[in-house]
Amino acid sequence: MPKIEVYRDALIELIGSGPLTDEQLENIFPCAKAELDEAADETGIMKVELNDTNRPDLWSTAGLARQLRIYQGGEHPSYPFFSDATTTKESAGRKIVVDPSVREIRPWVVGFVMTGAPVNEAVLKDLIQTQEKLTWNYGRKRKSIAMGLYRSDLITYPVHYRGADPGETRFVPLQMEQELSLREILRDHPKGQEYAHIVEDLPLFPLLEDDTGEILSFPPVINSAHLGAVQEGDSSLFVELTGTDLDSLLHAASIVACDAADLGYTVEPVEVEYPWETPWGRSFTVPYYFQAPQRAGIAQITALLGVDFQDDEILRALERMGIEAAAADGTVEIRVPPYRNDFLHPVDVVEDVMIGCGMDYFAPQMPRDFTMGRLTPLEEYSRRLKTLLVGLGFQEMVFNYLGSGKDYIEKLYPRDEWDQAYARTVQVDNPMSENYAFVRPSVIASLLQAESVSANAVYPHNVFEVGKVAEQYEPDPTGTRTLTNLGFLTADRGAGFNLVNSRVSAILYYMGHGYSLRECRDSRFIPGRAAEILLQGTDRAVGVFGELHPRVLDAWGIQMPCTAGEINLEGLLDHGGKNGGSV
């Protein structure tokens, strides 16, 4: 979980309720899902741990203080510098112009300017910490979000964001004195070595420069030693963020802008001009408010929290969480604060009502139903199957259930099958990252992901997983269904159809299933070297196995021949077997 360092005196001053002891702070920290990790040391720095990752607005002194201040009855801050779909704030010539060359390498950039009193040590340290936490935790170690700070008074606008030749483009990077090319920065600079994997395979590298050609930075790697060398005493800072997901960038920019305003700085908008259409137009001004209202039924709130709330009680609880809300016709509608983007479902509204009330508000209740827990037949069957696979020489793996379309579809199927494969795959409606935008439709992709980074391990590689997959399913009211599948993979020079066929035979024999095979035309496998599994007495396929196509192995960077298979356990269990009835 994120852990932040804050100057205790600065936090208390921003909360604005007078002196607070550590014990008093600990009593109100739960409203931010936070706890005191270490008391302030001799420098006045205390460490606070955030016990949730869906509130990046709390990963700074200003953001944490904002939540604590509002929870104790402080005024809701106003942020008049936000543009939206109906209102565009004046940018006064401050602009970022995006070149078409970045569209396929790192397409999105946003920014704004903060001006005011010269930054001191505490403010600068907190800005750098916010930069690190947002880009590391929220931005997946700068892959999807990278942030830079620059000396705005030295910049000649507009700023240009373009793709640059990695061998020909040169500048002096931060913490160095000699000029290096972008390619040399990846090789010789510590930050280049750390983040080279993000950009090293791109034909062009992202570059930010002002209108005179003075380079600001090579995102997401390093700032320049001139415009990007922010230090104490600077009073005008240009804040930019680049990445792969526009909404995430806008949200991160909103967080930093609100923090700056809470610290007493003036936030000056910056226009961003794109050469292609975006969800918010070809040109929009940042900070930009894009969150949609969220609603929850009062009956739903009452049912989930077990309290018969009145409308005004719900509104007061939400107000303590910094949320503007209105109740009418049995429904609460909220306006999501610009620094938050974690309201994906009505249950998220219910959660904020609960936190706003305080846990002491809810009286403990003894359970009214007493039941005896037991394993489901499917779980018992899965455990028996896992034991069998280990006995056959396989190693069990555990993977995420969310991933990218590239991994689940584009690396498995030929280009002419992508649209059909995407249509039957379950997609997350509002993902935090494109790398977690789909629920996996197959275990095989996860096994290939493990094999792609295992070339240094001694062969043969025999791995399996019993886990969940999801698929489109019209008969279900949700339109989807979740299944439990066994996936297994072997990588070895001698891996072929006969080997995987013998493995399938052993699995089904020891689990007590009769079966037959039918030629399979699954394009993930080599034609004529794959088969579907039909259970005895049926023509219903419950699984598939075979030799993986060289196209698939190339897409994953795997050099060794591989066989793989996948079997649906519900299908086996319904048919019967040693844990599911007679055969």
Side-chain angles (χ1 to χ4, degrees), residues 168-240:
E168 298 296 326
T169 307
R170 307 177 66 86
F171 71 98
V172 180
L174 201 62
Q175 300 174 344
M176 296 190 100
E177 296 180 357
Q178 71 271 27
E179 197 175 73
L180 299 176
S181 72
L182 303 186
R183 186 74 70 184
E184 289 170 340
I185 288 174
L186 299 188
R187 185 190 66 203
D188 299 334
H189 196 286
K191 291 297 182 183
Q193 296 165 3
E194 184 176 0
Y195 297 108
H197 64 280
I198 302 177
V199 297
E200 60 186 349
D201 294 329
L202 300 175
L204 299 174
F205 288 179
L207 191 76
L208 278 164
E209 60 186 7
D210 76 358
D211 204 42
T212 68
E214 185 76 25
I215 292 177
L216 280 71
S217 74
F218 165 24
V221 180
I222 191 69
N223 283 8
S224 75
H226 178 44
L227 297 182
V230 174
Q231 53 193 341
E232 291 181 47
D234 288 333
S235 58
S236 181
L237 303 182
F238 172 56
V239 182
E240 61 78 22

Coordinates of all heavy atoms in Angstrom, one line a residue, residues 168-240:
E168 N 19.9 11.2 -33.2 CA 20.3 12.6 -33.6 C 20.0 13.7 -32.6 O 20.6 14.7 -32.6 CB 19.7 12.9 -35.0 CG 20.1 12.0 -36.1 CD 21.6 12.1 -36.4 OE1 22.1 13.3 -36.3 OE2 22.2 11.1 -36.8
T169 N 18.9 13.5 -31.8 CA 18.5 14.5 -30.9 C 19.3 14.4 -29.6 O 19.5 13.4 -29.0 CB 17.0 14.3 -30.5 OG1 16.2 14.2 -31.7 CG2 16.5 15.4 -29.6
R170 N 19.9 15.6 -29.2 CA 20.8 15.6 -28.1 C 20.4 16.8 -27.1 O 19.9 17.9 -27.6 CB 22.2 15.8 -28.6 CG 22.7 14.8 -29.6 CD 24.1 15.1 -30.1 NE 25.1 14.9 -29.1 CZ 25.7 13.8 -28.8 NH1 25.3 12.7 -29.4 NH2 26.6 13.7 -27.8
F171 N 20.7 16.6 -25.8 CA 20.5 17.7 -24.8 C 21.3 17.2 -23.6 O 21.7 16.1 -23.4 CB 19.1 18.0 -24.6 CG 18.3 17.0 -23.8 CD1 18.1 17.1 -22.4 CD2 17.7 15.9 -24.4 CE1 17.4 16.1 -21.7 CE2 17.0 14.9 -23.8 CZ 16.9 15.0 -22.4
V172 N 21.4 18.2 -22.6 CA 22.1 17.9 -21.4 C 21.0 17.4 -20.4 O 20.1 18.2 -20.0 CB 22.8 19.1 -20.8 CG1 23.5 18.8 -19.5 CG2 23.8 19.6 -21.8
P173 N 21.0 16.2 -19.9 CA 20.0 15.7 -19.0 C 20.2 16.2 -17.6 O 21.4 16.5 -17.2 CB 20.0 14.2 -19.1 CG 21.4 13.9 -19.5 CD 21.9 15.1 -20.4
L174 N 19.2 16.1 -16.8 CA 19.3 16.5 -15.4 C 20.4 15.6 -14.7 O 20.5 14.4 -15.0 CB 17.9 16.3 -14.7 CG 17.6 17.0 -13.4 CD1 17.7 18.5 -13.6 CD2 16.3 16.6 -12.9
Q175 N 21.1 16.3 -13.8 CA 22.2 15.6 -13.0 C 23.4 15.2 -13.8 O 24.2 14.4 -13.4 CB 21.6 14.4 -12.3 CG 20.5 14.7 -11.3 CD 19.9 13.5 -10.7 OE1 20.0 12.4 -11.2 NE2 19.1 13.7 -9.6
M176 N 23.5 15.8 -15.0 CA 24.7 15.6 -15.8 C 25.1 16.9 -16.4 O 24.4 17.9 -16.5 CB 24.5 14.6 -16.9 CG 24.2 13.2 -16.4 SD 24.2 11.9 -17.7 CE 25.8 11.2 -17.5
E177 N 26.4 17.0 -16.9 CA 26.9 18.2 -17.5 C 27.2 18.1 -19.0 O 27.3 19.1 -19.7 CB 28.2 18.7 -16.8 CG 27.9 19.0 -15.3 CD 29.2 19.4 -14.6 OE1 30.3 19.4 -15.2 OE2 29.1 19.8 -13.4
Q178 N 27.3 16.9 -19.5 CA 27.6 16.7 -20.9 C 26.3 16.4 -21.7 O 25.4 15.8 -21.2 CB 28.7 15.6 -21.1 CG 28.2 14.2 -20.9 CD 28.4 13.8 -19.5 OE1 28.4 14.6 -18.5 NE2 28.5 12.5 -19.2
E179 N 26.4 16.8 -23.0 CA 25.2 16.6 -23.9 C 25.2 15.1 -24.3 O 26.3 14.6 -24.7 CB 25.4 17.5 -25.1 CG 24.1 17.7 -25.9 CD 24.3 18.7 -27.0 OE1 25.0 18.4 -28.0 OE2 23.7 19.8 -26.8
L180 N 24.0 14.5 -24.3 CA 23.9 13.1 -24.8 C 22.8 13.0 -25.7 O 21.8 13.8 -25.7 CB 23.6 12.2 -23.6 CG 24.7 12.1 -22.4 CD1 24.1 11.2 -21.3 CD2 26.0 11.6 -22.9
S181 N 22.9 12.0 -26.6 CA 21.7 11.7 -27.5 C 20.7 10.9 -26.7 O 21.0 10.4 -25.6 CB 22.1 10.9 -28.7 OG 22.4 9.5 -28.3
L182 N 19.4 10.9 -27.2 CA 18.4 10.1 -26.4 C 18.8 8.7 -26.2 O 18.5 8.1 -25.2 CB 17.1 10.2 -27.2 CG 16.5 11.6 -27.5 CD1 15.2 11.6 -28.1 CD2 16.5 12.5 -26.3
R183 N 19.4 8.1 -27.2 CA 19.8 6.7 -27.1 C 21.0 6.5 -26.1 O 21.0 5.6 -25.3 CB 20.3 6.2 -28.5 CG 20.7 4.7 -28.5 CD 19.4 3.8 -28.5 NE 18.7 3.9 -29.7 CZ 17.5 3.3 -29.9 NH1 17.0 2.6 -28.9 NH2 16.9 3.4 -31.1
E184 N 21.9 7.5 -26.0 CA 23.0 7.5 -25.1 C 22.4 7.7 -23.6 O 23.0 7.1 -22.7 CB 24.0 8.6 -25.4 CG 24.8 8.3 -26.7 CD 25.6 9.4 -27.1 OE1 25.3 10.6 -26.7 OE2 26.6 9.2 -27.9
I185 N 21.4 8.5 -23.5 CA 20.8 8.7 -22.2 C 20.3 7.3 -21.6 O 20.5 7.0 -20.4 CB 19.6 9.7 -22.2 CG1 20.1 11.1 -22.5 CG2 18.7 9.6 -21.0 CD1 19.1 12.1 -22.7
L186 N 19.7 6.5 -22.5 CA 19.2 5.2 -22.0 C 20.4 4.3 -21.6 O 20.2 3.5 -20.7 CB 18.4 4.5 -23.2 CG 17.1 5.1 -23.7 CD1 16.4 4.2 -24.6 CD2 16.2 5.6 -22.5
R187 N 21.5 4.5 -22.2 CA 22.7 3.7 -21.9 C 23.5 4.2 -20.7 O 23.9 3.4 -19.9 CB 23.6 3.6 -23.1 CG 24.8 2.6 -23.0 CD 25.7 2.8 -24.2 NE 26.3 4.1 -24.2 CZ 26.8 4.7 -25.2 NH1 26.7 4.1 -26.4 NH2 27.3 5.9 -25.2
D188 N 23.6 5.5 -20.6 CA 24.6 6.1 -19.7 C 24.0 6.8 -18.4 O 24.7 7.0 -17.5 CB 25.5 7.1 -20.4 CG 26.3 6.4 -21.5 OD1 26.5 5.2 -21.5 OD2 26.6 7.1 -22.5
H189 N 22.7 7.2 -18.5 CA 22.1 7.9 -17.4 C 21.4 6.9 -16.5 O 20.8 6.0 -17.0 CB 21.2 9.0 -17.9 CG 20.8 10.0 -16.9 ND1 19.9 9.7 -15.9 CD2 21.1 11.3 -16.8 CE1 19.8 10.8 -15.1 NE2 20.5 11.8 -15.7
P190 N 21.5 7.1 -15.1 CA 20.8 6.2 -14.2 C 19.3 6.1 -14.5 O 18.8 5.0 -14.5 CB 21.1 6.7 -12.8 CG 22.4 7.5 -13.0 CD 22.4 8.1 -14.4
K191 N 18.7 7.2 -14.7 CA 17.3 7.1 -15.0 C 17.0 6.5 -16.4 O 16.0 5.8 -16.6 CB 16.7 8.6 -15.0 CG 16.6 9.2 -13.6 CD 15.7 8.4 -12.7 CE 15.6 9.0 -11.3 NZ 14.8 8.2 -10.3
G192 N 17.9 6.7 -17.3 CA 17.8 6.1 -18.6 C 17.8 4.6 -18.5 O 17.1 3.8 -19.1
Q193 N 18.8 4.1 -17.7 CA 18.9 2.6 -17.5 C 17.7 2.1 -16.8 O 17.2 1.0 -17.1 CB 20.2 2.4 -16.7 CG 21.5 2.8 -17.4 CD 22.6 2.8 -16.4 OE1 22.5 2.5 -15.2 NE2 23.8 3.2 -16.9
E194 N 17.1 2.9 -15.9 CA 15.9 2.4 -15.1 C 14.7 2.3 -16.0 O 13.9 1.4 -15.8 CB 15.7 3.3 -13.9 CG 14.6 2.8 -13.0 CD 14.4 3.7 -11.8 OE1 15.2 4.7 -11.6 OE2 13.5 3.5 -10.9
Y195 N 14.5 3.3 -16.9 CA 13.2 3.3 -17.6 C 13.4 3.1 -19.1 O 12.5 3.3 -19.9 CB 12.6 4.7 -17.4 CG 12.2 5.0 -16.0 CD1 12.9 5.9 -15.2 CD2 11.2 4.3 -15.4 CE1 12.6 6.1 -13.9 CE2 10.8 4.5 -14.1 CZ 11.6 5.4 -13.3 OH 11.2 5.6 -12.0
A196 N 14.6 2.5 -19.5 CA 14.8 2.3 -20.9 C 13.8 1.3 -21.5 O 13.4 1.4 -22.7 CB 16.2 1.7 -21.1
H197 N 13.3 0.4 -20.7 CA 12.4 -0.7 -21.2 C 11.1 -0.1 -21.8 O 10.4 -0.8 -22.6 CB 12.1 -1.7 -20.2 CG 11.4 -1.1 -19.0 ND1 12.0 -0.4 -18.0 CD2 10.1 -1.2 -18.6 CE1 11.1 0.0 -17.1 NE2 9.9 -0.5 -17.5
I198 N 10.8 1.1 -21.4 CA 9.5 1.7 -21.8 C 9.6 2.2 -23.2 O 8.6 2.1 -24.0 CB 9.1 2.9 -20.9 CG1 9.0 2.4 -19.4 CG2 7.8 3.5 -21.3 CD1 8.7 3.5 -18.4
V199 N 10.7 2.7 -23.7 CA 10.8 3.3 -25.0 C 11.8 2.7 -25.9 O 11.9 3.1 -27.1 CB 11.1 4.8 -24.8 CG1 10.0 5.5 -24.0 CG2 12.4 5.0 -24.1
E200 N 12.7 1.9 -25.4 CA 13.9 1.5 -26.2 C 13.6 0.8 -27.6 O 14.4 0.9 -28.5 CB 14.8 0.6 -25.4 CG 14.2 -0.7 -25.0 CD 15.1 -1.5 -24.1 OE1 16.3 -1.2 -24.0 OE2 14.6 -2.5 -23.4
D201 N 12.4 0.2 -27.7 CA 12.0 -0.5 -28.9 C 11.2 0.4 -29.9 O 10.8 -0.1 -30.9 CB 11.3 -1.8 -28.6 CG 12.1 -2.8 -27.9 OD1 13.3 -2.8 -28.1 OD2 11.6 -3.6 -27.1
L202 N 11.0 1.6 -29.5 CA 10.2 2.5 -30.3 C 11.0 3.1 -31.5 O 12.2 3.4 -31.3 CB 9.6 3.7 -29.5 CG 8.7 3.3 -28.3 CD1 8.3 4.5 -27.5 CD2 7.4 2.6 -28.8
P203 N 10.4 3.3 -32.6 CA 11.2 3.9 -33.8 C 11.5 5.4 -33.5 O 12.6 5.8 -34.0 CB 10.2 3.8 -34.9 CG 8.8 3.8 -34.3 CD 9.0 3.0 -33.0
L204 N 10.7 6.1 -32.8 CA 11.0 7.5 -32.4 C 10.8 7.6 -30.9 O 10.0 6.8 -30.3 CB 10.0 8.5 -33.1 CG 10.1 8.6 -34.6 CD1 9.0 9.5 -35.1 CD2 11.5 9.0 -35.1
F205 N 11.5 8.5 -30.2 CA 11.3 8.7 -28.8 C 10.6 10.0 -28.5 O 10.7 11.0 -29.2 CB 12.7 8.8 -28.1 CG 13.5 7.5 -28.1 CD1 14.7 7.5 -27.5 CD2 12.9 6.3 -28.5 CE1 15.5 6.3 -27.4 CE2 13.6 5.1 -28.5 CZ 14.9 5.1 -27.9
P206 N 9.7 10.0 -27.5 CA 8.9 11.2 -27.1 C 9.9 12.3 -26.7 O 10.9 12.1 -26.1 CB 8.0 10.8 -26.0 CG 8.1 9.3 -26.0 CD 9.4 8.9 -26.5
L207 N 9.5 13.6 -27.1 CA 10.3 14.7 -26.8 C 9.4 15.9 -26.5 O 8.5 16.2 -27.3 CB 11.3 15.0 -27.9 CG 12.4 16.1 -27.5 CD1 13.5 15.4 -26.6 CD2 13.0 16.6 -28.8
L208 N 9.7 16.7 -25.5 CA 9.1 18.0 -25.2 C 10.1 19.1 -25.4 O 11.2 19.1 -24.8 CB 8.5 18.0 -23.8 CG 7.2 17.3 -23.6 CD1 7.0 17.1 -22.1 CD2 6.0 18.2 -24.1
E209 N 9.7 20.1 -26.2 CA 10.6 21.3 -26.4 C 9.7 22.5 -26.5 O 8.5 22.5 -26.9 CB 11.4 21.1 -27.7 CG 10.6 21.0 -28.9 CD 11.5 20.6 -30.2 OE1 12.7 20.4 -30.0 OE2 11.0 20.6 -31.3
D210 N 10.3 23.7 -26.2 CA 9.5 24.9 -26.3 C 9.6 25.5 -27.7 O 10.2 24.8 -28.6 CB 9.9 25.9 -25.3 CG 11.2 26.6 -25.6 OD1 11.9 26.3 -26.6 OD2 11.6 27.5 -24.8
D211 N 9.0 26.6 -28.0 CA 8.9 27.1 -29.3 C 10.2 27.6 -29.9 O 10.3 27.8 -31.1 CB 7.9 28.3 -29.3 CG 7.3 28.5 -30.7 OD1 6.9 27.5 -31.4 OD2 7.1 29.7 -31.1
T212 N 11.2 27.7 -29.1 CA 12.6 28.1 -29.6 C 13.4 26.9 -29.9 O 14.6 27.0 -30.3 CB 13.3 29.0 -28.6 OG1 13.6 28.3 -27.4 CG2 12.5 30.2 -28.3
G213 N 12.9 25.7 -29.6 CA 13.7 24.5 -29.7 C 14.4 24.0 -28.5 O 15.1 23.0 -28.5
E214 N 14.3 24.8 -27.4 CA 14.9 24.4 -26.1 C 14.2 23.2 -25.5 O 12.9 23.2 -25.4 CB 14.8 25.6 -25.1 CG 15.5 25.4 -23.8 CD 17.0 25.5 -23.9 OE1 17.5 26.2 -24.9 OE2 17.7 24.8 -23.1
I215 N 14.9 22.1 -25.2 CA 14.3 20.9 -24.8 C 13.9 20.9 -23.3 O 14.7 21.3 -22.5 CB 15.2 19.7 -25.1 CG1 15.4 19.5 -26.6 CG2 14.7 18.4 -24.4 CD1 16.3 18.4 -27.0
L216 N 12.7 20.5 -23.0 CA 12.2 20.4 -21.7 C 12.6 19.1 -21.1 O 13.1 19.0 -20.0 CB 10.7 20.6 -21.6 CG 10.1 22.0 -21.6 CD1 10.3 22.7 -23.0 CD2 8.7 22.0 -21.2
S217 N 12.2 18.0 -21.9 CA 12.5 16.7 -21.3 C 12.4 15.6 -22.4 O 11.8 15.8 -23.5 CB 11.5 16.3 -20.2 OG 10.2 16.1 -20.7
F218 N 12.8 14.4 -22.0 CA 12.7 13.2 -22.8 C 11.8 12.3 -22.0 O 12.2 11.5 -21.2 CB 14.0 12.6 -23.0 CG 14.1 11.1 -23.5 CD1 13.0 10.5 -24.1 CD2 15.2 10.4 -23.3 CE1 13.0 9.2 -24.5 CE2 15.3 9.0 -23.7 CZ 14.2 8.5 -24.3
P219 N 10.4 12.5 -22.1 CA 9.5 11.7 -21.2 C 9.4 10.3 -21.8 O 9.5 10.1 -23.0 CB 8.2 12.5 -21.4 CG 8.2 13.1 -22.7 CD 9.7 13.4 -22.9
P220 N 9.2 9.3 -20.9 CA 9.1 9.4 -19.5 C 10.4 9.1 -18.7 O 10.4 8.6 -17.6 CB 8.1 8.2 -19.2 CG 8.6 7.2 -20.3 CD 9.0 7.9 -21.5
V221 N 11.5 9.6 -19.3 CA 12.8 9.2 -18.7 C 13.4 10.3 -17.9 O 13.6 10.1 -16.7 CB 13.8 8.8 -19.8 CG1 15.2 8.4 -19.3 CG2 13.2 7.6 -20.6
I222 N 13.7 11.5 -18.4 CA 14.5 12.5 -17.7 C 14.2 13.9 -18.2 O 14.0 14.1 -19.4 CB 16.0 12.2 -17.8 CG1 16.8 13.0 -16.8 CG2 16.5 12.3 -19.2 CD1 16.6 12.7 -15.3
N223 N 14.3 14.9 -17.3 CA 14.2 16.3 -17.7 C 15.5 16.8 -18.2 O 16.6 16.2 -18.0 CB 13.8 17.1 -16.5 CG 12.3 17.0 -16.1 OD1 11.6 16.2 -16.7 ND2 11.9 17.8 -15.2
S224 N 15.5 18.0 -18.8 CA 16.7 18.6 -19.2 C 17.3 19.3 -18.0 O 16.6 19.6 -17.0 CB 16.5 19.7 -20.3 OG 15.8 20.8 -19.7
A225 N 18.6 19.6 -18.0 CA 19.3 20.2 -16.9 C 19.1 21.7 -16.8 O 19.5 22.3 -15.9 CB 20.8 19.9 -17.0
H226 N 18.4 22.3 -17.8 CA 18.1 23.7 -17.8 C 16.6 24.0 -17.4 O 16.4 24.4 -16.3 CB 18.4 24.3 -19.2 CG 18.1 25.7 -19.3 ND1 18.5 26.7 -18.3 CD2 17.5 26.5 -20.3 CE1 18.1 27.9 -18.7 NE2 17.5 27.8 -19.9
L227 N 15.7 23.8 -18.3 CA 14.3 24.1 -18.0 C 13.7 23.1 -17.0 O 12.8 23.4 -16.3 CB 13.5 24.0 -19.3 CG 13.9 25.0 -20.4 CD1 12.9 24.8 -21.6 CD2 13.8 26.4 -19.9
G228 N 14.3 21.9 -16.9 CA 13.7 20.9 -16.0 C 14.4 20.8 -14.6 O 14.1 19.9 -13.9
A229 N 15.3 21.8 -14.3 CA 16.0 21.8 -13.0 C 15.3 22.7 -12.0 O 15.7 23.7 -11.7 CB 17.4 22.2 -13.2
V230 N 14.1 22.2 -11.6 CA 13.3 23.0 -10.6 C 14.0 23.0 -9.2 O 14.5 21.9 -8.8 CB 11.9 22.4 -10.5 CG1 11.1 23.1 -9.4 CG2 11.2 22.5 -11.8
Q231 N 14.0 24.1 -8.6 CA 14.7 24.2 -7.3 C 13.9 25.2 -6.4 O 13.0 25.9 -6.8 CB 16.1 24.7 -7.5 CG 16.2 26.0 -8.2 CD 17.7 26.2 -8.7 OE1 18.6 25.7 -8.1 NE2 17.8 27.1 -9.7
E232 N 14.3 25.1 -5.1 CA 13.7 26.1 -4.1 C 13.9 27.5 -4.6 O 14.9 27.9 -5.1 CB 14.4 25.9 -2.8 CG 14.1 24.6 -2.1 CD 14.7 24.5 -0.7 OE1 14.6 25.4 0.0 OE2 15.3 23.4 -0.4
G233 N 12.8 28.3 -4.5 CA 12.8 29.7 -4.9 C 12.1 29.9 -6.2 O 11.8 31.1 -6.5
D234 N 11.9 28.9 -7.0 CA 11.1 29.0 -8.2 C 9.7 29.4 -7.9 O 9.1 28.8 -7.0 CB 11.2 27.8 -9.1 CG 12.6 27.6 -9.7 OD1 13.3 28.6 -9.9 OD2 13.0 26.4 -10.0
S235 N 9.1 30.3 -8.6 CA 7.7 30.7 -8.3 C 6.7 30.4 -9.4 O 5.6 30.8 -9.2 CB 7.7 32.2 -7.9 OG 8.2 33.0 -9.0
S236 N 7.2 29.9 -10.5 CA 6.3 29.6 -11.6 C 6.7 28.3 -12.2 O 7.8 28.2 -12.8 CB 6.4 30.7 -12.7 OG 5.5 30.4 -13.8
L237 N 5.9 27.3 -12.1 CA 6.2 25.9 -12.5 C 5.2 25.4 -13.6 O 4.0 25.6 -13.5 CB 6.2 24.9 -11.4 CG 7.1 25.2 -10.2 CD1 7.0 24.1 -9.1 CD2 8.5 25.4 -10.6
F238 N 5.8 24.9 -14.7 CA 5.0 24.2 -15.7 C 4.9 22.7 -15.3 O 6.0 22.1 -15.2 CB 5.6 24.4 -17.0 CG 4.9 23.6 -18.2 CD1 3.6 23.7 -18.4 CD2 5.7 22.8 -19.0 CE1 3.0 22.9 -19.4 CE2 5.1 22.0 -20.0 CZ 3.7 22.1 -20.2
V239 N 3.7 22.2 -15.2 CA 3.5 20.8 -14.8 C 3.0 20.0 -16.1 O 1.9 20.5 -16.6 CB 2.6 20.6 -13.6 CG1 2.4 19.1 -13.3 CG2 3.0 21.4 -12.5
E240 N 3.6 19.0 -16.5 CA 3.1 18.2 -17.7 C 3.1 16.8 -17.3 O 3.9 16.3 -16.5 CB 4.0 18.5 -18.9 CG 5.4 18.1 -18.9 CD 5.7 16.6 -19.0 OE1 4.8 15.8 -19.5 OE2 6.7 16.1 -18.5

